[in-house]
Amino acid sequence: MVLLRSALSLSRSSLSIGSSLRHSIRSHNSSSSPTISPLYPHSSTYSYSLGLSYASKYSPPFIAPNQKIKPYGFMNRDKENGIVRWVNEMMDFPAGRGELTSGQDGGWSESVQKDVRKYGAGEDFFGIERVGNDLHLSLSDGVGGWTDRVDPSLFSQALCYHYSTIASQFASSSPVEILDKAYRNLLDDQRVVAGGATLVGVRLGEEGDASFVNLGDSGYAIMKNDQIKYISKPQTHFFNCPLQLSKIPKDMRQAGIIHDTPNMADVKEIELEVGDVIILFTDGLSDNLPTSHLPLLSSSLTQLLNSPLNSHLTQTERDAEYARLFADILVGYGRMAMARTGDEKGWKTPFEIEATEKVPRNNWRGGKIDE
């Protein structure tokens, strides 16, 4: 997620969930964390704070802590390969689920880093690319239906890699143009033989201009003052089948496999304001976390940061802490919702509600385990 603010630095801080609303927070702008500062050296107006968090469905509590994880994606392959180096660079950004202890740095400890490396982002992946005065972000969800044939994470990682590469080469291109070129490059990429994925991307400009592209059921939301200003709508063919970009081997081209194109993506231009929060997400979040819970979670975090115990934080530090913590809170809360059985009192997951309406014979209850 991204927070637009009126300061002149962009920091990538470690991510963690506050263990108590009574705890104070230390700034995490340490030299050990990757940073991009300043993002806009000639602008006196805007900059962005970033928070990153992710979790594979093949990680505790959804698998046993001692269960061996089958290697997947490009991360553990030949590091002389360009895409392998890039994937590892993305994985080096702090994005853990560590505990935050009063008065101590939290989140990106060696043990958390080891766990994040062990479990990774599953079939989802992301890209972060600074190009001149623009910041390009992409997020992709590999289609799990390819699991019997190929590793779905190869497609999502490669799509984000090509998206970031094209963004760096064609600075003036719009996100949908970048997606089109990236997809064409992926189709020619022999390292990916088959697969499919959704993608949401955004270009953030120094004057608060934001250009979005979204194909499938990943998406984005914009919030301000703990309220939702805008949230994208998912693109689907039918229930639980999103629009998706695919690479189909010749022997499967007559099998009726979904095959969509970048020109089918939704595009949107938005002028951002100081204090806007931009959230990019895959359906692991939107299938499990009710939209109405976003303001509640945001306001709880705002109260924490506004506590007198955190008065030592500057506004720049407060913005950076909000970005990193809110990203991690959303992942943690989403995973909690995945574990719901449907027997609990109160709210239902969006996936259960939609399944009950559209495929009642399936009798789906509770959350949907996903990245």
Side-chain angles (χ1 to χ4, degrees), residues 1 16-18 21 223-228 277 279 285-286 288-306 321-337 347:
M1 61 151 289
S16 63
I17 296 176
L21 291 180
M223 300 181 65
K224 186 174 184 179
N225 297 327
D226 303 322
Q227 298 299 316
I228 298 172
V277 176
I279 307 168
L285 183 73
S286 54
N288 290 286
L289 185 136
T291 301
S292 61
H293 289 205
L294 284 172
L296 301 175
L297 294 171
S298 179
S299 62
S300 294
L301 178 56
T302 299
Q303 290 177 36
L304 165 65
L305 292 170
N306 289 339
E321 293 302 310
Y322 177 95
R324 76 174 190 89
L325 286 168
F326 196 40
D328 223 27
I329 286 170
L330 293 178
V331 170
Y333 196 88
R335 283 167 67 79
M336 177 275 292
W347 57 276

Side-chain angles (χ1 to χ4, degrees), residues 163-183:
Y163 187 97
S164 292
T165 301
I166 293 298
S168 68
Q169 295 173 346
F170 298 91
S172 62
S173 294
S174 68
V176 69
E177 291 170 335
I178 293 171
L179 178 59
D180 182 69
K181 292 183 177 72
Y183 180 48

Side-chain angles (χ1 to χ4, degrees), residues 78-215:
D78 179 11
K79 294 188 178 180
E80 295 304 312
N81 188 310
I83 192 171
V84 176
R85 287 197 304 271
W86 180 85
V87 167
N88 278 277
E89 287 174 3
M90 294 300 104
M91 294 297 294
D92 282 340
F93 282 110
R97 294 170 301 284
E99 291 296 325
L100 184 68
T101 304
S102 179
Q104 298 180 7
D105 285 347
W108 200 240
S109 64
E110 289 186 8
S111 62
V112 170
Q113 185 177 11
K114 182 179 178 181
D115 281 346
V116 169
R117 280 279 181 178
K118 176 181 178 180
Y119 299 114
E123 295 166 359
D124 294 358
F125 210 67
F126 58 94
I128 302 168
E129 189 73 25
R130 176 182 168 182
V131 184
N133 288 339
D134 292 335
L135 181 66
H136 289 267
L137 306 176
S138 57
L139 188 60
S140 181
D141 180 358
V143 176
W146 286 93
T147 301
D148 292 340
R149 179 74 180 245
V150 294
D151 175 358
S153 68
L154 294 174
F155 193 100
S156 57
Q157 291 181 8
L159 186 58
C160 288
Y161 165 73
H162 287 295
Y163 187 97
S164 292
T165 301
I166 293 298
S168 68
Q169 295 173 346
F170 298 91
S172 62
S173 294
S174 68
V176 69
E177 291 170 335
I178 293 171
L179 178 59
D180 182 69
K181 292 183 177 72
Y183 180 48
R184 293 175 186 273
N185 282 5
L186 190 152
L187 292 177
D188 293 333
D189 192 333
Q190 299 304 308
R191 293 166 296 194
V192 180
V193 298
T198 66
L199 184 134
V200 56
V202 62
R203 181 181 66 193
L204 300 172
E206 64 177 320
E207 298 302 329
D209 50 302
S211 301
F212 293 89
V213 61
N214 185 38
L215 187 138

